[in-house]
Amino acid sequence: MATGQVLNPGDHIYTECLGGSYYHHGIYVGRGLVTNPNTGKTRTITNATCFYKPKGSGIVLTCLDCFHEGNGLYRYEYDVSLLSFTFKTSGSCTPWSCYDPNTVIKRAYDYLRDQNFGDYNFVFNNCEHFATKCKMGKARCNQALWGTGLPGALVYNVTRRLTKDILW
């Protein structure tokens, strides 16, 4: 996080992967209790992140350090202007508004508990979809727009709806 910024539970966060070629997203939940599936032991994570992880592992709760692995850590912005949305880095913001932090965290934990967010798909069901679904109630992925702004958002959403029955 930039100097002076503090994370609040319910924040949508993201970190750079492969030198910024794409971003990994999650929901900062603050304090979280995790159970080791091998030993059954539980422990509290002080700075926990709930995020969607590919390769069949579904949604996981992890510590903040493991989430960003020493890369930059950023807060995703909501309610940005359409002009800002068009010119900001894809996958860093949305013009849509979001729910209150308690609703966001409840959704993240519900998906974690039920493991029902669906199969991972790099373009149509990824970690950014998970985080925006928790925050807004609608799964969106602005980084899949590859910097195309509002026109790309329209094409992406139409394509996602047309292929939904094929992919899922």
Side-chain angles (χ1 to χ4, degrees):
M1 295 295 300
T3 306
Q5 288 187 336
V6 176
L7 284 177
N8 295 304
D11 280 349
H12 174 170
I13 57 175
Y14 65 99
T15 186
E16 297 174 342
C17 296
L18 292 175
S21 58
Y22 72 97
Y23 298 92
H24 186 49
H25 294 255
I27 298 295
Y28 179 70
V29 295
R31 188 178 187 81
L33 185 65
V34 294
T35 302
N36 182 322
N38 298 324
T39 65
K41 292 183 179 181
T42 60
R43 71 180 178 104
T44 299
I45 298 176
T46 304
N47 285 311
T49 304
C50 192
F51 70 97
Y52 188 68
K53 190 172 184 178
K55 299 179 186 140
S57 60
I59 297 160
V60 299
L61 186 67
T62 187
C63 72
L64 198 56
D65 289 338
C66 293
F67 174 78
H68 71 84
E69 297 178 333
N71 295 316
L73 183 62
Y74 309 95
R75 184 181 293 118
Y76 192 94
E77 295 178 61
Y78 285 82
D79 288 317
V80 302
S81 70
L82 288 176
L83 186 63
S84 291
F85 173 68
T86 299
F87 292 105
K88 283 192 174 231
T89 302
S90 291
S92 67
C93 65
T94 185
W96 302 99
S97 59
C98 62
Y99 289 102
D100 66 278
N102 290 332
T103 300
V104 172
I105 293 169
K106 181 182 180 323
R107 284 183 177 162
Y109 275 116
D110 286 349
Y111 288 130
L112 177 68
R113 180 192 66 237
D114 300 338
Q115 290 292 302
N116 66 349
F117 195 70
D119 293 333
Y120 180 85
N121 180 285
F122 183 73
V123 177
F124 295 113
N125 199 44
N126 59 42
C127 57
E128 187 177 354
H129 287 104
F130 166 75
T132 56
K133 178 83 172 184
C134 292
K135 289 288 283 190
M136 303 184 310
K138 294 181 180 184
R140 301 195 187 275
C141 180
N142 293 327
Q143 77 180 312
L145 305 177
W146 296 288
T148 57
L150 192 56
L154 295 173
V155 171
Y156 167 79
N157 283 306
V158 167
T159 304
R160 185 169 189 252
R161 287 181 189 191
L162 291 174
T163 60
K164 184 170 184 160
D165 293 333
I166 297 167
L167 295 172
W168 294 286

